Amino acid sequence: MESKIRLSHSARQKHDHCAMMYKLHYVDKIRQEGTTSALLFGSAIDKACEDYMLQRDGFRARSIFKNEWKKLQDDEFTKIEYASNDFDHELLLQSDNELILKDSVCTSVSSIVKAGEDKERIAYANWISLYRKGLMLVDKFIQWVDENVEEVLGAQVAIELEDEEGNQVTGFADFVIKINGYNNPILVDLKTAGRYYERGSVKESEQLALYFLYLKNTKYPDMERAAFLVLNKMIKKNRTKTCKKCGNVTIGREKTCSVGTGKNRCHGEFDEVIDPEVNLQYIHDEIPQDFIDATIQKFNVTLESIKTNEFPKNETGCDRYYGRECPYKKYCESGCMTGLYKKEETNV
């Protein structure tokens, strides 16, 4: 009897990028050692935000993020792969700086990170930066929920979209909610990102299209819209500068005070303060039926390809997997398992 295939959105993305990558990850169970900060940070934020959406207890939500993120300190946080924009020296507290700089010849944390030599201090600088950012993101989420959410209909709702042969598209929808001033349920996907999402991103999301189709057909027939709720890790600084010489206050980009003209221009130095703010995007839209149909067709093509048990390698994708080298490149070339491990089967 032919086994049924369970295919998540992320699995189809892997297959779409490179069928061999899909095979190595899901069939051969060869996995990459360590993980990225984006995955771990997003998971900690998700847990805190889900709890707040259901419990409406801000202290508890913040504690969940703190506990999830602090676990990594005890779990070899130096092995985490941090992104270049994780570190933000302007968000560090004085106590953070003192701890990182203790017994170091460097005079600033930024200089340690820039030098790139002291791996443990650099890892901690990234980790504590994300800790500070995470608390801000959770607070922003709490504020948005309090101001906008009328009712929570579901959280982590299981998606099991099945075809005639019993193959399934699987996943979990973050939230189904009702927003103040809008009576119908809305599917909401929470994202932690380092970039802005385009206005048309909802109606072009294959993941949302599949989740929307399943939820509308099974649980929420009056659902008409889906949404991205994006918490941006790139913190807006809201800089205010005060001239040390004349007291002029500005939010401009000039490096010295521009009061006056010609020889009478002030040119005084500034004292600068920041008022950090999280950028939150709530993008909601209808998803066109023709896009849903096209997405289903793509999944059907992927399912048929998997059934053939043929997994060709995409030679053009080895050096461009989300901006970096494919983790399986050396394995495909020479069988090298450096940075990889074989996941053991779990008997239930």
mmCIF file of all heavy atoms in Angstrom, residues 224-254:
data_model
loop_
_atom_site.group_PDB
_atom_site.id
_atom_site.type_symbol
_atom_site.label_atom_id
_atom_site.label_comp_id
_atom_site.label_asym_id
_atom_site.label_seq_id
_atom_site.Cartn_x
_atom_site.Cartn_y
_atom_site.Cartn_z
ATOM 1 N N GLU A 224 -13.482 35.786 5.318
ATOM 2 C CA GLU A 224 -13.281 36.427 4.023
ATOM 3 C C GLU A 224 -11.882 37.006 3.846
ATOM 4 O O GLU A 224 -11.485 37.323 2.729
ATOM 5 C CB GLU A 224 -14.316 37.550 3.818
ATOM 6 C CG GLU A 224 -15.765 37.103 3.856
ATOM 7 C CD GLU A 224 -16.128 36.183 2.703
ATOM 8 O OE1 GLU A 224 -15.406 36.206 1.676
ATOM 9 O OE2 GLU A 224 -17.120 35.432 2.829
ATOM 10 N N ARG A 225 -11.141 37.145 4.935
ATOM 11 C CA ARG A 225 -9.845 37.801 4.863
ATOM 12 C C ARG A 225 -8.775 37.060 5.673
ATOM 13 O O ARG A 225 -9.089 36.345 6.622
ATOM 14 C CB ARG A 225 -9.930 39.248 5.378
ATOM 15 C CG ARG A 225 -10.623 40.192 4.406
ATOM 16 C CD ARG A 225 -10.749 41.593 4.960
ATOM 17 N NE ARG A 225 -11.228 42.492 3.923
ATOM 18 C CZ ARG A 225 -10.438 43.252 3.166
ATOM 19 N NH1 ARG A 225 -9.133 43.228 3.362
ATOM 20 N NH2 ARG A 225 -10.943 44.028 2.227
ATOM 21 N N ALA A 226 -7.539 37.301 5.269
ATOM 22 C CA ALA A 226 -6.381 36.809 6.022
ATOM 23 C C ALA A 226 -5.450 37.986 6.248
ATOM 24 O O ALA A 226 -5.582 39.043 5.613
ATOM 25 C CB ALA A 226 -5.672 35.706 5.258
ATOM 26 N N ALA A 227 -4.495 37.823 7.161
ATOM 27 C CA ALA A 227 -3.624 38.950 7.508
ATOM 28 C C ALA A 227 -2.249 38.478 7.956
ATOM 29 O O ALA A 227 -2.086 37.377 8.487
ATOM 30 C CB ALA A 227 -4.272 39.790 8.609
ATOM 31 N N PHE A 228 -1.272 39.352 7.749
ATOM 32 C CA PHE A 228 0.035 39.235 8.373
ATOM 33 C C PHE A 228 0.105 40.263 9.495
ATOM 34 O O PHE A 228 -0.262 41.428 9.306
ATOM 35 C CB PHE A 228 1.164 39.531 7.383
ATOM 36 C CG PHE A 228 1.505 38.398 6.464
ATOM 37 C CD1 PHE A 228 1.583 38.595 5.090
ATOM 38 C CD2 PHE A 228 1.768 37.128 6.971
ATOM 39 C CE1 PHE A 228 1.906 37.561 4.240
ATOM 40 C CE2 PHE A 228 2.093 36.080 6.118
ATOM 41 C CZ PHE A 228 2.161 36.297 4.747
ATOM 42 N N LEU A 229 0.573 39.828 10.645
ATOM 43 C CA LEU A 229 0.896 40.737 11.740
ATOM 44 C C LEU A 229 2.410 40.648 11.910
ATOM 45 O O LEU A 229 2.933 39.630 12.371
ATOM 46 C CB LEU A 229 0.170 40.321 13.020
ATOM 47 C CG LEU A 229 0.343 41.238 14.232
ATOM 48 C CD1 LEU A 229 -0.197 42.635 13.933
ATOM 49 C CD2 LEU A 229 -0.353 40.664 15.450
ATOM 50 N N VAL A 230 3.116 41.692 11.500
ATOM 51 C CA VAL A 230 4.574 41.651 11.401
ATOM 52 C C VAL A 230 5.209 42.501 12.488
ATOM 53 O O VAL A 230 4.966 43.704 12.580
ATOM 54 C CB VAL A 230 5.047 42.156 10.022
ATOM 55 C CG1 VAL A 230 6.556 41.955 9.876
ATOM 56 C CG2 VAL A 230 4.292 41.465 8.894
ATOM 57 N N LEU A 231 6.028 41.870 13.313
ATOM 58 C CA LEU A 231 6.829 42.559 14.319
ATOM 59 C C LEU A 231 8.245 42.693 13.773
ATOM 60 O O LEU A 231 8.933 41.684 13.555
ATOM 61 C CB LEU A 231 6.839 41.779 15.631
ATOM 62 C CG LEU A 231 5.494 41.629 16.345
ATOM 63 C CD1 LEU A 231 5.597 40.615 17.472
ATOM 64 C CD2 LEU A 231 5.012 42.971 16.877
ATOM 65 N N ASN A 232 8.672 43.920 13.534
ATOM 66 C CA ASN A 232 9.954 44.150 12.878
ATOM 67 C C ASN A 232 11.080 44.262 13.906
ATOM 68 O O ASN A 232 11.019 45.086 14.824
ATOM 69 C CB ASN A 232 9.876 45.433 12.043
ATOM 70 C CG ASN A 232 10.984 45.525 11.013
ATOM 71 O OD1 ASN A 232 12.143 45.285 11.324
ATOM 72 N ND2 ASN A 232 10.632 45.868 9.789
ATOM 73 N N LYS A 233 12.115 43.445 13.723
ATOM 74 C CA LYS A 233 13.260 43.442 14.639
ATOM 75 C C LYS A 233 14.158 44.667 14.473
ATOM 76 O O LYS A 233 14.987 44.945 15.342
ATOM 77 C CB LYS A 233 14.103 42.180 14.429
ATOM 78 C CG LYS A 233 13.437 40.893 14.834
ATOM 79 C CD LYS A 233 14.391 39.723 14.722
ATOM 80 C CE LYS A 233 14.804 39.461 13.280
ATOM 81 N NZ LYS A 233 15.699 38.277 13.165
ATOM 82 N N MET A 234 14.023 45.363 13.357
ATOM 83 C CA MET A 234 14.821 46.568 13.121
ATOM 84 C C MET A 234 14.134 47.726 13.837
ATOM 85 O O MET A 234 13.169 48.300 13.350
ATOM 86 C CB MET A 234 14.948 46.841 11.620
ATOM 87 C CG MET A 234 15.568 45.680 10.861
ATOM 88 S SD MET A 234 17.224 45.260 11.476
ATOM 89 C CE MET A 234 18.129 46.710 10.962
ATOM 90 N N ILE A 235 14.631 48.027 14.996
ATOM 91 C CA ILE A 235 13.973 48.986 15.885
ATOM 92 C C ILE A 235 14.156 50.429 15.380
ATOM 93 O O ILE A 235 15.266 50.863 15.086
ATOM 94 C CB ILE A 235 14.531 48.866 17.315
ATOM 95 C CG1 ILE A 235 14.411 47.415 17.825
ATOM 96 C CG2 ILE A 235 13.813 49.829 18.250
ATOM 97 C CD1 ILE A 235 13.005 46.892 17.900
ATOM 98 N N LYS A 236 13.034 51.136 15.299
ATOM 99 C CA LYS A 236 13.070 52.550 14.928
ATOM 100 C C LYS A 236 13.600 53.348 16.118
ATOM 101 O O LYS A 236 13.151 53.166 17.250
ATOM 102 C CB LYS A 236 11.654 53.019 14.554
ATOM 103 C CG LYS A 236 11.578 54.442 14.058
ATOM 104 C CD LYS A 236 10.136 54.779 13.683
ATOM 105 C CE LYS A 236 10.023 56.222 13.200
ATOM 106 N NZ LYS A 236 8.615 56.574 12.852
ATOM 107 N N LYS A 237 14.535 54.261 15.874
ATOM 108 C CA LYS A 237 15.237 54.914 16.980
ATOM 109 C C LYS A 237 14.616 56.243 17.425
ATOM 110 O O LYS A 237 14.789 56.637 18.567
ATOM 111 C CB LYS A 237 16.706 55.132 16.606
ATOM 112 C CG LYS A 237 17.460 53.837 16.334
ATOM 113 C CD LYS A 237 17.449 52.927 17.545
ATOM 114 C CE LYS A 237 18.038 51.571 17.271
ATOM 115 N NZ LYS A 237 19.397 51.561 16.779
ATOM 116 N N ASN A 238 13.942 56.952 16.550
ATOM 117 C CA ASN A 238 13.341 58.251 16.918
ATOM 118 C C ASN A 238 14.365 59.134 17.626
ATOM 119 O O ASN A 238 14.236 59.474 18.803
ATOM 120 C CB ASN A 238 12.108 58.053 17.806
ATOM 121 C CG ASN A 238 10.992 57.324 17.090
ATOM 122 O OD1 ASN A 238 10.672 57.635 15.945
ATOM 123 N ND2 ASN A 238 10.390 56.343 17.745
ATOM 124 N N ARG A 239 15.384 59.543 16.897
ATOM 125 C CA ARG A 239 16.494 60.307 17.470
ATOM 126 C C ARG A 239 16.103 61.779 17.685
ATOM 127 O O ARG A 239 15.477 62.400 16.831
ATOM 128 C CB ARG A 239 17.705 60.243 16.550
ATOM 129 C CG ARG A 239 18.190 58.830 16.293
ATOM 130 C CD ARG A 239 19.391 58.821 15.352
ATOM 131 N NE ARG A 239 19.705 57.460 14.963
ATOM 132 C CZ ARG A 239 20.425 56.629 15.698
ATOM 133 N NH1 ARG A 239 20.917 57.041 16.856
ATOM 134 N NH2 ARG A 239 20.664 55.393 15.280
ATOM 135 N N THR A 240 16.506 62.305 18.813
ATOM 136 C CA THR A 240 16.370 63.728 19.096
ATOM 137 C C THR A 240 17.742 64.262 19.502
ATOM 138 O O THR A 240 18.406 63.679 20.362
ATOM 139 C CB THR A 240 15.370 63.985 20.239
ATOM 140 O OG1 THR A 240 14.092 63.451 19.878
ATOM 141 C CG2 THR A 240 15.217 65.478 20.497
ATOM 142 N N LYS A 241 18.139 65.359 18.848
ATOM 143 C CA LYS A 241 19.470 65.918 19.104
ATOM 144 C C LYS A 241 19.340 67.333 19.646
ATOM 145 O O LYS A 241 18.573 68.149 19.120
ATOM 146 C CB LYS A 241 20.293 65.915 17.812
ATOM 147 C CG LYS A 241 20.545 64.515 17.275
ATOM 148 C CD LYS A 241 21.457 64.502 16.067
ATOM 149 C CE LYS A 241 20.750 65.017 14.830
ATOM 150 N NZ LYS A 241 21.596 64.847 13.621
ATOM 151 N N THR A 242 20.107 67.595 20.681
ATOM 152 C CA THR A 242 20.108 68.917 21.310
ATOM 153 C C THR A 242 21.508 69.524 21.202
ATOM 154 O O THR A 242 22.503 68.903 21.614
ATOM 155 C CB THR A 242 19.705 68.825 22.794
ATOM 156 O OG1 THR A 242 18.414 68.209 22.897
ATOM 157 C CG2 THR A 242 19.651 70.212 23.417
ATOM 158 N N CYS A 243 21.578 70.731 20.652
ATOM 159 C CA CYS A 243 22.872 71.396 20.469
ATOM 160 C C CYS A 243 23.466 71.771 21.829
ATOM 161 O O CYS A 243 22.812 72.417 22.668
ATOM 162 C CB CYS A 243 22.708 72.644 19.611
ATOM 163 S SG CYS A 243 24.246 73.569 19.380
ATOM 164 N N LYS A 244 24.700 71.371 22.044
ATOM 165 C CA LYS A 244 25.376 71.690 23.303
ATOM 166 C C LYS A 244 25.677 73.184 23.430
ATOM 167 O O LYS A 244 25.828 73.704 24.539
ATOM 168 C CB LYS A 244 26.697 70.908 23.395
ATOM 169 C CG LYS A 244 26.548 69.399 23.430
ATOM 170 C CD LYS A 244 27.924 68.743 23.494
ATOM 171 C CE LYS A 244 27.822 67.233 23.487
ATOM 172 N NZ LYS A 244 29.163 66.586 23.531
ATOM 173 N N LYS A 245 25.711 73.861 22.291
ATOM 174 C CA LYS A 245 26.123 75.264 22.270
ATOM 175 C C LYS A 245 24.937 76.228 22.409
ATOM 176 O O LYS A 245 24.960 77.146 23.237
ATOM 177 C CB LYS A 245 26.886 75.544 20.979
ATOM 178 C CG LYS A 245 27.488 76.927 20.881
ATOM 179 C CD LYS A 245 28.293 77.030 19.587
ATOM 180 C CE LYS A 245 28.904 78.421 19.436
ATOM 181 N NZ LYS A 245 29.679 78.532 18.161
ATOM 182 N N CYS A 246 23.891 75.999 21.592
ATOM 183 C CA CYS A 246 22.778 76.960 21.588
ATOM 184 C C CYS A 246 21.459 76.373 22.093
ATOM 185 O O CYS A 246 20.476 77.100 22.242
ATOM 186 C CB CYS A 246 22.576 77.543 20.185
ATOM 187 S SG CYS A 246 21.848 76.372 18.996
ATOM 188 N N GLY A 247 21.428 75.066 22.347
ATOM 189 C CA GLY A 247 20.220 74.441 22.869
ATOM 190 C C GLY A 247 19.181 74.093 21.825
ATOM 191 O O GLY A 247 18.081 73.624 22.161
ATOM 192 N N ASN A 248 19.487 74.287 20.543
ATOM 193 C CA ASN A 248 18.548 73.946 19.475
ATOM 194 C C ASN A 248 18.248 72.444 19.484
ATOM 195 O O ASN A 248 19.148 71.622 19.639
ATOM 196 C CB ASN A 248 19.151 74.341 18.113
ATOM 197 C CG ASN A 248 18.294 73.861 16.950
ATOM 198 O OD1 ASN A 248 17.091 74.097 16.915
ATOM 199 N ND2 ASN A 248 18.938 73.194 16.005
ATOM 200 N N VAL A 249 16.972 72.096 19.348
ATOM 201 C CA VAL A 249 16.547 70.703 19.330
ATOM 202 C C VAL A 249 16.104 70.334 17.913
ATOM 203 O O VAL A 249 15.329 71.067 17.285
ATOM 204 C CB VAL A 249 15.386 70.458 20.320
ATOM 205 C CG1 VAL A 249 14.932 69.004 20.245
ATOM 206 C CG2 VAL A 249 15.805 70.817 21.735
ATOM 207 N N THR A 250 16.581 69.207 17.401
ATOM 208 C CA THR A 250 16.260 68.794 16.039
ATOM 209 C C THR A 250 16.144 67.280 15.942
ATOM 210 O O THR A 250 16.708 66.555 16.772
ATOM 211 C CB THR A 250 17.337 69.286 15.046
ATOM 212 O OG1 THR A 250 17.012 68.837 13.721
ATOM 213 C CG2 THR A 250 18.715 68.736 15.421
ATOM 214 N N ILE A 251 15.418 66.822 14.938
ATOM 215 C CA ILE A 251 15.365 65.384 14.617
ATOM 216 C C ILE A 251 15.991 65.145 13.254
ATOM 217 O O ILE A 251 15.871 64.065 12.679
ATOM 218 C CB ILE A 251 13.919 64.849 14.640
ATOM 219 C CG1 ILE A 251 13.037 65.601 13.632
ATOM 220 C CG2 ILE A 251 13.338 64.900 16.037
ATOM 221 C CD1 ILE A 251 11.646 65.012 13.470
ATOM 222 N N GLY A 252 16.663 66.155 12.709
ATOM 223 C CA GLY A 252 17.279 66.048 11.396
ATOM 224 C C GLY A 252 18.551 65.214 11.405
ATOM 225 O O GLY A 252 19.009 64.739 12.450
ATOM 226 N N ARG A 253 19.163 65.068 10.236
ATOM 227 C CA ARG A 253 20.352 64.220 10.086
ATOM 228 C C ARG A 253 21.655 65.011 10.096
ATOM 229 O O ARG A 253 22.734 64.425 9.957
ATOM 230 C CB ARG A 253 20.261 63.424 8.783
ATOM 231 C CG ARG A 253 19.111 62.422 8.766
ATOM 232 C CD ARG A 253 19.163 61.572 7.523
ATOM 233 N NE ARG A 253 18.125 60.540 7.526
ATOM 234 C CZ ARG A 253 17.970 59.627 6.578
ATOM 235 N NH1 ARG A 253 18.788 59.608 5.530
ATOM 236 N NH2 ARG A 253 17.009 58.729 6.666
ATOM 237 N N GLU A 254 21.582 66.332 10.237
ATOM 238 C CA GLU A 254 22.801 67.138 10.226
ATOM 239 C C GLU A 254 23.727 66.727 11.370
ATOM 240 O O GLU A 254 23.269 66.371 12.449
ATOM 241 C CB GLU A 254 22.464 68.628 10.318
ATOM 242 C CG GLU A 254 21.724 69.047 11.576
ATOM 243 C CD GLU A 254 20.218 69.021 11.444
ATOM 244 O OE1 GLU A 254 19.701 68.180 10.674
ATOM 245 O OE2 GLU A 254 19.557 69.830 12.105
#
